[in-house]
């Protein structure tokens, strides 16, 4: 049949039946048209008999040139043949993905298989299907194309193919052929990306989750929608000789299960060895409060982390750890569910004010409210004492890894997602990008703090949250508080925002002071998010609800940087510039400017002489995205040649380990290390 098979995999049985009905219909038309053509051109006797048999089939009432259809039994046989053929194709695709290192898309069809095998054999396959030998095999036939036959030809090529190495991409094709060959969804072994000149460099355009504004790429999205395409005008900067920036890879969120055991020891070890082979400096891992102290207060289980740290040390890698005092699940990128400790949840059932609360009274159990930092309500302990005891237990139980330098940095979780911010944009409460979010200060403990602050100013009627801020998904101009000239810049607004942001700063100050007592000889850090939407408005509404008092007429990050400097902590900034490459319209519509936010935060840190680390917010596997991240880490145009103390790549997922992706990532690591990366015109090697 001549029908397309783009719905080959992942369709329901009803969809298959509908497709097959269309196949039968098209086959009828094809046979009728073909019969007419053959009769008029002096076809063979066999073809003439075929035409006659088609004409003998039952037509519609009225006859006379009307549309003819095939008997129902023949349609059913066609459906069975089609299902059988699709089942065979599915097994072929599965085998190629599993054993041949082919990155075939989920809904790949037989054309993708043939194209992949043809390219493996050194042929050039153009987007329209035109196929011809590479220059190393011969010249292109005059007049256009030579098609690669399906069926037996594909099986013949498959029998001759060899699996490419896991970490190396090799081919006999020239760079000229690469520029003319557009590879879509198929891993085609070719020259190493190191050898491709800037004018012919491939770009992996990663498809992101379109469901939510800030949604990142899930593993499924990356595997099924990633496209390999080559831009002709990609220019790259030379970072050779620049300062060495250590590279860490964030481990999967569920690398340690709820029993505090390694979830997949063998698989993790395999991936760690690959990372070591491409000279990654170390890994970053969450130490979940809900796992370690999950069942009873002050009963800690570090067994799984001890095994993990030992494995990392054996490979001579370093570790950055995150003291995760928040839950996992419900946020963008969360693929596991790790709640707060059970005993904390029991307290929360009788006293829900231990959680952040919005104006409607909705509780957010993602982390504890900062209002209870000094309230002795957690089985006789304050929240600060609970955090301190947890960190001290880590320092005692895993002392060997701290003292021998395996643990290079301890990042202190200060809020949702481990970041220093209020949970102002909870997806579970209906927030969607680019909503301004809501203030989270309506638990009784924070309201008590607000009342105290208002009383000290002599304006007790200010002891309330603003009532004209809209809802989670409002836009600034639709509210009386955040609009241009709104209440955010009035006397009450400035009082409230100053108090709201000061609670955030005080929380960071208290926990970091305790962390420095525990980890006196280690580097500690605090993570800041990139809240970039509505940055081009006067109020910077999304930043205000997140706790950053940073309207257009005030610097809200200087005080935070000074607090980190006070405790010798590194500022770990989550960057979002790569998001602009994938979704530029979202940022222009939300008046967002990730690069401007980043530069403001970085300058606040530099002004206070605070070290800076960075991590990306979305998965990235393409050359363009990596180049964008390099510019945000290396600052090539900075006359002072400033750079970051480390970079954490998010995150170790199966897609990163795929052939082309891991080669691109190795290239990225080399540039962060300041090494020379050879281009094609400098070096070329065929294997």
């Amino acid at each position: 049949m001549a029908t397309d098979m783009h719905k080959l995999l992942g369709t329901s049985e009803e969809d298959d039946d509908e497709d097959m009905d269309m196949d039968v219909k098209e086959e009828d038309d094809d046979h009728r048209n073909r019969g007419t053509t053959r009769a008029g051109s002096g076809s063979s006797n066999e073809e003439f008999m075929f035409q006659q048999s088609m004409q003998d089939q039952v037509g519609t009432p009225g006859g006379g040139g009307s549309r003819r259809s095939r008997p129902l039994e023949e349609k059913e046989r066609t459906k069975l043949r089609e299902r059988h053929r699709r089942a065979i194709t599915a097994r072929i695709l599965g085998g190629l993905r599993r054993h041949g290192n082919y990155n075939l898309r989920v809904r790949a069809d037989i054309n993708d298989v043939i194209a992949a095998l043809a390219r493996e054999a050194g042929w050039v396959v153009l987007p329209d299907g035109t196929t011809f030998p590479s220059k190393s095999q011969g010249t292109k036939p005059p007049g256009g194309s030579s098609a690669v036959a399906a069926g037996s030809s594909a099986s013949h090529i498959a029998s001759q193919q060899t699996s490419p190495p896991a970490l190396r991409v090799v081919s006999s094709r020239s760079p000229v052929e690469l520029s003319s060959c557009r590879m879509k969804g198929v891993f085609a072994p070719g020259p190493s990306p190191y050898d491709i000149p800037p004018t012919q460099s491939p770009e992996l355009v990663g498809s992101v989750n379109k469901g939510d504004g800030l949604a990142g790429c899930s593993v499924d999205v990356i595997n099924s929608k990633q496209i390999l395409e080559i831009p002709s005008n990609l220019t790259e900067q030379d970072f050779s000789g620049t300062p060495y920036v250590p590279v860490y890879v964030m481990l999967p969120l569920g690398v340690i299960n709820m029993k505090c055991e390694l979830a997949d020891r063998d698989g993790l070890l395999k991936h760690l060895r690959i990372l070591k082979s491409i000279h990654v400096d170390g890994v970053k891992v969450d130490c979940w409060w809900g796992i370690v102290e999950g069942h009873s207060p002050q009963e800690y289980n570090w067994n799984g982390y001890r095994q993990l740290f030992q494995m990392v040390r054996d490979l001579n890698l370093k570790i950055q750890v995150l003291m995760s005092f928040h839950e996992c699940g419900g946020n963008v990128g969360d693929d596991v569910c790790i709640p707060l400790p059970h005993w904390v949840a029991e307290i929360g059932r009788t006293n829900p004010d231990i959680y952040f609360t919005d104006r409607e009274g909705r509780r957010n159990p993602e982390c504890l409210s900062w209002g209870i930092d000094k309230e002795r309500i957690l089985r006789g302990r304050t929240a600060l004492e609970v955090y301190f005891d947890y960190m001290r237990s880590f320092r005692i139980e895993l002392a060997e890894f701290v003292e021998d330098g395996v643990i290079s940095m301890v990042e202190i979780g200060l809020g949702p997602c481990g970041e220093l911010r209020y949970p102002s944009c909870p997806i579970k409460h209906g927030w969607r990008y680019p909503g301004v979010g809501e203030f989270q200060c309506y638990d009784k403990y924070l309201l008590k703090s607000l009342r105290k602050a208002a009383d000290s100013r002599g304006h007790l009627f200010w002891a309330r949250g603003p009532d004209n801020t809209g809802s989670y998904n409002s836009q600034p101009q639709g509210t009386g508080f955040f609009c241009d000239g709104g209440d955010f810049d009035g006397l009450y607004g400035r009082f409230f925002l100053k108090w709201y942001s000061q609670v955030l700063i005080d929380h960071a100050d208290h926990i970091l002071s305790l962390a420095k007592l525990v980890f006196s000889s280690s580097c500690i850090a605090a993570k800041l998010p990139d809240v970039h939407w509505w940055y081009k408005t006067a109020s910077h509404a999304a930043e205000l609800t997140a706790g950053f008092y940073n309207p257009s007429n005030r610097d809200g990050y200087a005080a935070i940087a000074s607090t980190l400097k006070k405790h010798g902590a590194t500022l770990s900034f989550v960057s979002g510039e790569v998001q602009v490459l994938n979704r530029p319209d979202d940022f222009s519509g939300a008046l967002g400017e990730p690069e401007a936010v980043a530069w403001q935060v970085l300058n606040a840190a530099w002004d206070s002489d605070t070290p800076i680390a960075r991590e990306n917010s979305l998965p990235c596997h393409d050359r363009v995205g990596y180049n964008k991240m390099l510019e945000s880490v290396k600052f090539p145009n900075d006359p002072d040649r400033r750079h970051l103390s480390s970079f954490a790549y998010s995150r170790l997922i199966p897609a990163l380990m795929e052939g082309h992706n891991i080669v691109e990532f190795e290239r990225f690591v080399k540039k962060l290390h300041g090494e020379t990366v050879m281009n094609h015109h400098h070096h070329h090697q065929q294997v």
Side-chain angles (χ1 to χ4, degrees):
M1 282 181 239
T3 58
D4 291 333
M5 296 176 64
H6 64 280
K7 293 182 178 179
L8 181 61
L9 299 176
T11 58
S12 64
E13 186 172 343
E14 291 79 2
D15 293 336
D16 287 341
D17 290 342
E18 183 179 347
D19 291 345
M20 291 175 201
D21 287 338
M22 292 300 297
D23 291 341
V24 173
K25 179 179 176 182
E26 292 179 17
E27 201 169 280
D28 289 337
D29 294 342
D30 184 54
H31 283 320
R32 184 173 63 255
N33 295 336
R34 196 166 55 214
T36 303
T37 304
R38 288 170 178 167
S41 60
S43 61
S44 66
N45 184 60
E46 180 180 355
E47 292 169 338
F48 179 76
M49 293 301 295
F50 174 83
Q51 177 191 2
Q52 290 296 108
S53 67
M54 292 295 296
Q55 291 176 349
D56 289 340
Q57 292 184 12
V58 178
T60 57
S66 60
R67 180 182 180 87
R68 301 184 184 276
S69 61
R70 305 179 67 183
L72 180 61
E73 295 81 2
E74 182 63 23
K75 290 184 178 181
E76 291 300 324
R77 284 196 294 271
T78 300
K79 290 181 180 180
L80 291 175
R81 287 196 301 270
E82 188 68 13
R83 285 178 179 151
H84 179 64
R85 182 165 64 179
R86 294 185 181 194
I88 293 175
T89 305
R91 286 192 285 271
I92 293 174
L93 295 175
L96 290 174
R97 289 193 193 97
R98 188 175 304 109
H99 306 297
N101 233 3
Y102 289 94
N103 186 22
L104 293 169
R105 57 192 174 93
V106 171
R107 300 175 72 88
D109 58 26
I110 195 64
N111 294 333
D112 293 319
V113 177
I114 295 173
L117 297 175
R119 292 187 182 110
E120 171 77 9
W123 291 67
V124 175
V125 182
L126 299 182
D128 63 356
T130 301
T131 305
F132 53 88
S134 66
K135 293 185 178 180
S136 61
Q137 294 177 311
T139 59
K140 179 178 178 180
S145 63
S146 61
V148 178
S152 60
S153 298
S155 62
H156 175 69
I157 297 173
S159 65
Q160 296 179 350
Q161 80 168 17
T162 57
S163 299
L167 296 179
R168 181 105 185 190
V169 183
V170 296
S171 174
S172 59
R173 290 177 295 165
S174 68
V176 174
E177 291 151 6
L178 276 174
S179 64
S180 65
C181 176
R182 182 186 179 192
M183 296 161 286
K184 185 174 183 179
V186 180
F187 169 69
S192 167
Y194 304 148
D195 302 331
I196 300 175
T199 57
Q200 298 163 349
S201 302
E203 173 191 3
L204 279 174
V205 183
S207 174
V208 299
N209 188 340
K210 303 289 184 184
D212 302 312
L214 293 182
C217 291
S218 68
V219 177
D220 294 335
V221 172
I222 293 171
N223 285 340
S224 63
K225 297 185 180 179
Q226 188 162 284
I227 299 173
L228 181 61
E229 215 168 296
I230 303 176
S232 59
N233 59 348
L234 180 62
T235 59
E236 299 187 66
Q237 300 212 30
D238 181 13
F239 292 97
S240 59
T242 57
Y244 185 101
V245 176
V247 182
Y248 292 78
V249 174
M250 300 174 68
L251 296 183
L253 295 169
V255 65
I256 302 293
N257 62 27
M258 292 302 295
K259 297 180 180 179
C260 203
E261 300 170 343
L262 280 171
D264 180 12
R265 181 184 180 87
D266 294 339
L268 177 63
L269 181 59
K270 175 183 176 182
H271 289 162
L272 290 178
R273 285 173 174 165
I274 294 175
L275 295 178
K276 177 64 178 178
S277 71
I278 63 173
H279 306 294
V280 166
D281 296 89
V283 295
K284 186 173 184 177
V285 62
D286 291 87
C287 291
W288 295 104
W289 181 31
I291 292 178
V292 176
E293 196 182 0
H295 300 288
S296 300
Q298 295 182 284
E299 292 185 7
Y300 308 99
N301 179 6
W302 298 101
N303 291 339
Y305 291 102
R306 184 177 290 104
Q307 296 172 20
L308 171 63
F309 293 179
Q310 183 62 52
M311 183 187 302
V312 173
R313 179 167 64 180
D314 291 344
L315 291 173
N316 199 27
L317 294 170
K318 301 290 186 181
I319 307 171
Q320 291 181 347
V321 298
L322 171 58
M323 300 283 106
S324 298
F325 297 113
H326 61 282
E327 75 168 9
C328 179
N331 286 308
V332 173
D334 290 353
D335 54 4
V336 296
C337 180
I338 304 173
L340 297 185
H342 297 307
W343 59 273
V344 172
E346 291 176 359
I347 297 173
R349 279 190 284 271
T350 59
N351 182 11
D353 284 290
I354 67 173
Y355 303 125
F356 283 106
T357 308
D358 63 18
R359 190 173 66 249
E360 299 298 324
R362 288 168 290 199
R363 315 288 184 173
N364 189 338
E366 186 175 353
C367 60
L368 297 180
S369 167
W370 301 332
I372 67 169
D373 276 357
K374 296 184 178 181
E375 298 287 341
R376 200 170 296 278
I377 58 175
L378 298 176
R379 301 284 178 88
R381 293 185 294 168
T382 67
L384 290 177
E385 290 172 343
V386 169
Y387 303 144
F388 176 76
D389 291 342
Y390 182 85
M391 292 186 289
R392 182 174 57 182
S393 174
F394 175 92
R395 178 63 178 83
I396 294 172
E397 295 295 327
L398 302 170
E400 58 180 301
F401 303 102
V402 176
E403 293 166 0
D404 64 8
V406 173
I407 297 175
S408 59
M409 187 171 76
V410 181
E411 190 171 287
I412 312 301
L414 297 173
C417 298
E419 300 168 344
L420 179 60
R421 64 176 174 87
Y422 287 88
S424 56
C425 300
I427 294 176
K428 65 181 71 176
H429 290 166
W431 173 84
R432 294 296 181 269
Y433 178 87
V436 298
E438 289 192 16
F439 292 112
Q440 305 290 313
C441 59
Y442 294 92
D443 62 83
K444 66 181 182 182
Y445 301 104
L446 284 179
L447 286 177
K448 182 174 70 173
S449 172
L450 177 59
R451 189 176 304 110
K452 181 179 178 181
D455 189 38
S456 67
R457 285 287 303 271
H459 302 295
L460 195 56
F461 59 94
W462 282 355
R464 57 177 177 81
D467 55 8
N468 57 347
T469 57
S471 62
Y472 281 111
N473 295 313
S474 296
Q475 298 190 3
Q477 298 308 316
T479 71
F481 191 83
F482 298 118
C483 65
D484 292 350
D487 292 345
F488 78 91
D489 204 27
L491 291 176
Y492 162 73
R494 282 179 281 179
F495 158 77
F496 173 80
L497 293 172
K498 181 66 172 66
W499 166 81
Y500 189 73
S501 62
Q502 191 60 46
V503 171
L504 175 145
I505 294 172
D506 289 344
H507 174 71
D509 185 29
H510 296 149
I511 294 189
L512 291 177
S513 64
L514 296 176
K516 198 59 183 175
L517 288 175
V518 175
F519 303 106
S520 57
S521 60
S522 302
C523 172
I524 63 172
K527 184 188 299 185
L528 257 66
D530 172 23
V531 184
H532 53 262
W533 54 107
W534 307 119
Y535 187 84
K536 294 181 181 179
T537 63
S539 62
H540 293 210
E543 291 172 273
L544 297 185
T545 58
F548 306 118
Y549 189 11
N550 189 55
S552 57
N553 58 357
R554 188 179 188 276
D555 185 356
Y557 297 103
I560 296 174
S562 297
T563 301
L564 269 59
K565 174 62 178 178
K566 171 184 174 182
H567 302 291
T570 295
L571 190 157
S572 178
F573 184 66
V574 182
S575 58
E577 291 99 323
V578 177
Q579 293 173 271
V580 182
L581 298 175
N582 294 320
R583 312 186 64 176
D585 294 339
D586 288 346
F587 297 97
S588 60
L591 299 178
E593 197 169 2
E595 290 186 345
V597 178
W599 277 110
Q600 185 180 353
V601 172
L602 295 178
N603 278 291
W606 284 329
D607 289 345
S608 61
D609 198 23
T610 300
I612 307 169
R614 205 159 188 176
E615 68 180 59
N616 57 307
S617 58
L618 289 180
C620 171
H621 304 102
D622 61 273
R623 181 79 59 87
V624 174
Y626 284 136
N627 287 344
K628 189 70 175 176
M629 286 193 286
L630 282 165
E631 293 175 3
S632 69
V633 175
K634 289 284 189 172
F635 315 116
N637 298 321
D638 182 13
D640 297 324
R641 291 176 58 84
R642 289 174 290 198
H643 62 283
L644 305 187
S645 60
S646 66
F647 180 85
Y649 174 83
S650 176
R651 162 177 321 269
L652 179 59
I653 57 176
L656 178 62
M657 296 291 108
E658 294 173 0
H660 181 87
N661 293 345
I662 195 65
V663 172
E664 282 293 315
F665 184 63
E666 180 182 11
R667 190 176 192 279
F668 173 66
V669 171
K670 286 179 178 290
K671 287 198 167 188
L672 281 176
H673 287 171
E675 300 177 20
T676 301
V677 177
M678 301 299 293
N679 285 323
H680 179 79
H681 59 278
H682 292 140
H683 172 72
H684 180 70
Q685 180 180 3
Q686 290 186 349
V687 179

